[in-house]
Structure formats: structure tokens, C-alpha cells
Amino acid sequence: MSVQIDNNLVRVFDTTLRDGEQSPGATLSSAEKLEIARQLARLGVDIIEAGFPAASPDDLAAVQRIAREVGTADGPVICGLARAVEKDIVTCWEGVKDAAKPRIHTFLGMSDIHLKHISNISRKEALEVVRKGVTLASSLSPDVEFSPMDAGRADLSFLVEACALAIECGATTLNIPDTVGYVTPSEWGEFLSNLIAETPGSGPGSGITWSVHCHNDLGLATANTLAGVLAGARQVEVTINGIGERAGNTSLEEVVMAIHTRKQFYNLYTNINTREIMKTSRLVSNYTGMHVQPNKAIVGANAFAHEAGIHQDGMLKHSSTFEIMTPETVGLNQSRLVLGKHSGRHALKARLQELGYKIEGDALNQVFARFKDLADAKKTVTDADLEALIADEFHGPEEIYSLVDIQVTCGTMGMPTATVKMKNADGEEIIHAAVGAGPVDASYKAVDAIVKAPNTLIEYSVHSVTEGIDALGEVTVRISPDGEDKRSFGGYGAHRDIVVASVKAYLAAVNRMVAVMGLGDRKPEGEVSTVQVKS
Ligand code: KIV
Ligand code: ZN
């Protein structure tokens, strides 16, 4: 398929749901993937890599759902990943074919290291695999992307041959990955310039788009991606918050804001609505349970905070003294005082609408009740508080088990004890009491005794949404199912009481694990001292 290429447009290919989801702890349910895909469409990404359909029937179903519900005519291209083998390619097509603009992304490791240790084939045999794979993909899909995996450590002339062959067989996007995050910006820029210049059939007017895909093992993913753009790439493969294998992928927000903020330098643009960046970042962080480090560029909690006296003084005089972009550009609302305890439902609804949340009916009643509860305890409720409440109320997994009530006793004397009342999927209420090392541990033990899905807590963190002793607490956790499985699941919870926030976060992770793995009736390992009261 020949496409018209606007040479100043850098297409954004988001792989949060594929490469990002492959990162430890980022496993998402199908419903969560769909909601993230919807937000990616609102953000304005050009292509969503929705998953790896041949990986499992669940992955296939999730890609199909995204293709049907998000891949509309005015929506993004919906892409699936496939190894360059028949089974993967055919399954991938099954996944994406219902999208208005489907794409098959097929790949093969092309460095000598990958050829020898992964495929155990010669360079000549590899070219044959590329020929067959891309030809098959092009016979099914009008839009085909080919990636020579581990290109950062591959031989340039061999890559030229492979890319030319992929074009001949119907690929229209050539994505060049630095799979192991090995290259440096200047060498990568030169390598890509040479590859683009030497590959026949890929010049101006050919309809071919060159793309870059970088990993962050040396912390160079954004720099390498931008070097690729300067060398001629007009597609960037990125993830929200830079999540991905090992040290992660290139982060979408960094590349997009570099192109946006340094317009005069790059003379390029993207289709991203930058004001949706923060919301997308929070959604992905809440669903994956992967907390964004405070000093992370663009989306970190401190990215727009000015602490040093000299900086604050400069900011008061003029924001341009220490700010190269405004917080509003990335969707961070600086309004501090939002609502108080006398604010009514209408004011709340209007403020939520201004923040981009259209909430009505029962959902609004639910948020209003939470808001009132918070406003009673806290003088002012800020935008950040409201966003945390929304994330806690609506951005969770399917609620198989839900928290009804919790009570803890703790202190320097005695044994920390938690009594937890929960509802299971049948609406049955179950109460358990457990003793633990502290109130959170005791509560988690009580939850475990009810859910019976043994797991290990591998990460737990608490943050306050705003300053002050009355601030809302946000908790993120990551758990790993006991046994053979290498996956882990994240959860998020927000509440004034950090023990309650902790239980909500834990329950979100447990529900996610139960939904994805179908657990829930296994006996917990070890003894927990519990009392069960059925009501
Ligand atoms: O890092 C990589 O090489 C990949 C490919 C499948 C594009 O993710
Ligand atoms: Zn990758």
C-alpha cells in the first residue's frame, strides 16, 4: 500500500500494550487494555500496537476487541506483533483484521548473535524467512511493518539487504530496533542515515516510512530515538512512562515534548494532544501498579516543582526563568484550591468535566460521596485529590472481591490485628480477622484468607497526593503469584486512611491476578490465624 508521507510529521507508534505490557509486573486484563487503548486514541497516537496475538488466546481476544472498538475509521491504526512465521502471522491477522486500518508487524532477529543463538540459521536462511513472512503478511494486510530485531548489533550491509527484500515483498514501514539498548546517539544517527541512504526502494516518493524502536538499558532511549528522527525516521515506537522490558522502552512523553518544545530545532510535529499526557500517564501507572519516579521527565511528580529558593524567586518573577514548558501543556492543572466541604454535586460535576471526566448518574453519586468524605476531613480538595479519587473508584480491575469494611488495632503494645469484611463475586459477605507484623500485614493476611490466591508482595509504596497531614494517601503494590508463574500484578488505591488505601491497592492487584489467572480457590500457604464469620 502506498501512503502519502508528510515529511514533517513524526508518527507516534505506541507499544505500551505490547512491549510495555511485557515488562515485569505490567500484566493487564483485557478490559484494562481496552480502556488504555481508548485513552491512547484520545491522546492522538497514530498507531496502537495492541498486543502479540499468537502469545495466547487471551492476547488474541484483547487485540480483536481493541481492533473492533478503537480501530474505527477516524481512529488509530491497530497493529499486532508476529514472529515471521506462518502461525503467528495468520493469528495476528485474525486479531487486527476488523480494524478500519489494520497492520501486521512482523520481525526476525537479524544480528549474528540472534541468528546463531535464537534461530540457529544462516544469514541466507534468515533472508528466506523474511521473504516468506513479509510476503504472507502482505497477502493478508494492506499495511505491513518489518523489524530486523537487534539491528543495533547487526551488520549494516546485511540489514540493507534485509530491508530491501522486505520492501520488495510488500512492507511499507521498516522499523529499526535497538533491542538491547546498546547504541549511542551519534553512532545510531549515522547508522540509520547510512541504512536509509543505501536501501534501494526506500527513498522519497517510495511510500516507505522508516521507524526507530529503542530500549533504555543505558538510559539513552530518548536520545537515540531523537537521533533516529534526525536521521530521517518518521515513526517513533514508544511507551507511556517508558515502561517495557528491563530498563524500559523510549518514553512517549519525552520524545513528543522534545519535538514540541524544540520546534525550531526539529522543525517537525506529532499528532499528539499533549494535554492528554498526564491523564494517560496516570492511567497506565495505576493499572500496571508501576509508580512513576518523582524526577521522571515530563510526568514525574517533581517535573514542574520548584524547591530551591533561587528557583522559586525566579518563578515568581517570570515562569520562563526555570520552566521550558508549562505544566498545562502536558495536562497538569496547577489550580490548587478547587472545592471545599460546602461545594455541591454541580460544582463537583463541573470541575470533573473541566478535568476531562464526564461523570453522571450513579457514578457521580459515588464520587460525590467520596468527595464529601474527603472534604469533611480536609479543608480543600485539589485537582490532584479528585484525580486520585477517580483513579481509585473507576480505574481498577473487575471487582471480583470488594472491600466492605476494615478495622485495625495496632500500636506499641499487643499484636496488630485487622478485621476485614469483603464481598465475593456471588455477593456473599465474608469476615476474617488476622494478626500480622503491622496493620497492613495483618489486613493483607485477612484478605489472603478470604481470597485464597497465594502470592508474594514484591513491592509496596505509599505517597501523599498533596502536602499536609490531612492529605489523601496513594498506595501502589505489586504481587507475584506463588508457584511457577513469572508474572506479577500491580494495584492502586487511594484513601485518607493509608491502611484502607493499602487494602484497596492490594485488592486491586489480587483481583487483577484472579481475573487473568483464574485463581481464587486455592488454599493460602502457611497458617494464618483467622476467624471466619459468614453473614
Ligand atoms: O525490541 C525489539 O526489538 C522489539 C521488536 C519486536 C520490534 O520489541
Ligand atoms: Zn522492544
Side-chain angles (χ1 to χ4, degrees):
M1 188 179 66
S2 164
V3 282
Q4 209 52 34
I5 294 183
D6 169 354
N7 210 38
N8 289 351
L9 169 66
V10 177
R11 286 193 169 75
V12 175
F13 176 115
D14 183 278
T15 182
T16 305
L17 296 176
R18 199 277 299 169
D19 225 350
E21 210 236 354
Q22 274 171 232
S23 57
T27 313
L28 298 162
S29 71
S30 165
E32 289 168 338
K33 287 181 188 171
L34 181 65
E35 203 179 324
I36 291 178
R38 288 206 171 106
Q39 179 57 28
L40 290 172
R42 279 193 288 272
L43 177 66
V45 307
D46 301 279
I47 302 111
I48 294 177
E49 187 161 55
F52 191 170
S56 73
D58 281 353
D59 281 57
L60 170 62
V63 173
Q64 277 172 329
R65 221 170 142 196
I66 292 170
R68 288 171 193 152
E69 297 187 33
V70 186
T72 52
D74 57 351
V77 170
I78 305 296
C79 174
L81 184 70
R83 287 169 299 179
V85 295
E86 186 178 339
K87 175 186 152 286
D88 276 32
I89 292 169
V90 170
T91 312
C92 182
W93 180 238
E94 280 307 304
V96 297
K97 70 179 183 198
D98 291 338
K101 291 172 275 180
R103 175 182 292 186
I104 295 176
H105 174 193
T106 188
F107 72 99
L108 176 69
M110 298 300 265
S111 65
D112 288 336
I113 300 175
H114 278 218
L115 290 179
K116 181 166 174 218
H117 298 291
I118 296 181
S119 324
N120 193 21
I121 53 176
S122 66
R123 287 189 181 184
K124 196 161 161 235
E125 286 166 327
L127 291 177
E128 220 18 63
V129 174
V130 172
R131 179 191 302 285
K132 284 203 187 118
V134 177
T135 304
L136 174 61
S138 310
S139 72
L140 299 170
S141 172
D143 183 354
V144 173
E145 170 171 332
F146 170 67
S147 288
M149 188 163 74
D150 202 20
R153 294 187 298 169
D155 175 55
L156 178 65
S157 56
F158 180 51
L159 282 188
V160 168
E161 219 179 323
C163 290
L165 177 64
I167 294 171
E168 228 180 271
C169 298
T172 46
T173 301
L174 294 170
N175 174 52
I176 311 303
D178 175 26
T179 306
V180 291
Y182 179 69
V183 303
T184 65
S186 55
E187 103 187 298
W188 189 231
E190 194 184 332
F191 187 80
L192 286 164
S193 296
N194 292 335
L195 179 60
I196 294 171
E198 290 173 30
T199 303
S202 73
S206 62
I208 298 297
T209 301
W210 288 93
S211 166
V212 269
H213 175 119
C214 298
H215 280 262
N216 205 27
D217 299 66
L218 294 174
L220 294 172
T222 297
N224 288 334
T225 297
L226 291 167
V229 166
L230 289 175
R234 288 295 176 269
Q235 175 180 288
V236 287
E237 299 205 349
V238 290
T239 61
I240 301 297
N241 301 337
I243 65 168
E245 290 272 19
R246 309 180 306 279
N249 285 60
T250 306
S251 95
L252 178 145
E253 56 280 4
E254 291 176 13
V255 172
V256 165
M257 288 314 290
I259 291 173
H260 181 90
T261 308
R262 301 302 310 276
K263 261 185 224 88
Q264 267 144 357
F265 177 74
Y266 289 104
N267 192 24
L268 296 167
Y269 71 99
T270 70
N271 285 327
I272 296 297
N273 174 1
T274 60
R275 288 175 184 266
E276 291 288 325
I277 284 178
M278 276 313 298
K279 204 193 291 173
T280 318
S281 164
R282 286 197 186 117
L283 183 67
V284 170
S285 165
N286 293 342
Y287 274 10
T288 57
M290 297 183 80
H291 197 75
V292 175
Q293 74 193 59
N295 60 327
K296 163 87 175 62
I298 319 296
V299 291
N302 293 348
F304 294 93
H306 302 274
E307 188 73 31
I310 190 166
H311 286 212
Q312 288 181 346
D313 182 53
M315 285 295 291
L316 288 173
K317 288 177 176 137
H318 202 281
S319 66
S320 67
T321 50
F322 288 101
E323 226 163 56
I324 57 168
M325 54 199 156
T326 65
E328 289 78 13
T329 325
V330 298
L332 196 66
N333 205 303
Q334 288 301 78
S335 150
R336 302 288 298 167
L337 190 144
V338 184
L339 302 165
K341 68 177 185 181
H342 300 299
S343 309
R345 200 180 306 260
H346 275 104
L348 175 68
K349 185 176 169 187
R351 188 64 208 144
L352 288 171
Q353 218 145 21
E354 278 164 25
L355 291 172
Y357 302 100
K358 201 163 177 281
I359 297 180
E360 283 164 353
D362 284 350
L364 181 64
N365 293 341
Q366 231 172 296
V367 181
F368 187 63
R370 293 283 307 266
F371 159 73
K372 275 289 181 197
D373 179 46
L374 184 63
D376 275 344
K378 208 170 172 279
K379 271 197 230 73
T380 56
V381 178
T382 67
D383 289 346
D385 290 324
L386 289 181
E387 289 194 315
L389 283 188
I390 297 291
D392 183 74
E393 277 299 321
F394 301 112
H395 292 172
E398 183 195 343
E399 273 208 316
I400 301 167
Y401 296 93
S402 58
L403 179 68
V404 181
D405 280 315
I406 173 166
Q407 183 183 309
V408 293
T409 43
C410 60
T412 51
M413 287 164 60
M415 292 169 290
T417 309
T419 308
V420 170
K421 187 202 264 186
M422 283 177 18
K423 227 184 229 167
N424 66 16
D426 301 325
E428 209 182 3
E429 282 188 352
I430 308 166
I431 301 176
H432 262 280
V435 174
V440 174
D441 184 48
S443 326
Y444 285 14
K445 282 193 168 125
V447 170
D448 283 346
I450 295 173
V451 178
K452 300 185 176 65
N455 68 81
T456 305
L457 181 69
I458 51 178
E459 233 176 77
Y460 171 88
S461 59
V462 198
H463 303 264
S464 69
V465 174
T466 51
E467 307 95 61
I469 196 72
D470 55 359
L472 201 58
E474 283 184 306
V475 175
T476 47
V477 301
R478 200 127 64 82
I479 60 171
S480 167
D482 289 353
E484 297 308 307
D485 206 284
K486 296 269 184 302
R487 285 178 287 187
S488 58
F489 300 85
Y492 167 88
H495 199 273
R496 277 187 294 121
D497 181 322
I498 57 160
V499 178
V500 179
S502 301
V503 173
K504 283 169 151 264
Y506 186 58
L507 217 41
V510 167
N511 275 329
R512 198 162 271 134
M513 181 173 84
V514 170
V516 171
M517 300 184 67
L519 298 170
D521 53 1
R522 296 194 329 208
K523 289 245 170 316
E525 272 174 14
E527 278 303 300
V528 257
S529 77
T530 60
V531 189
Q532 180 165 342
V533 188
K534 280 203 174 188
S535 61

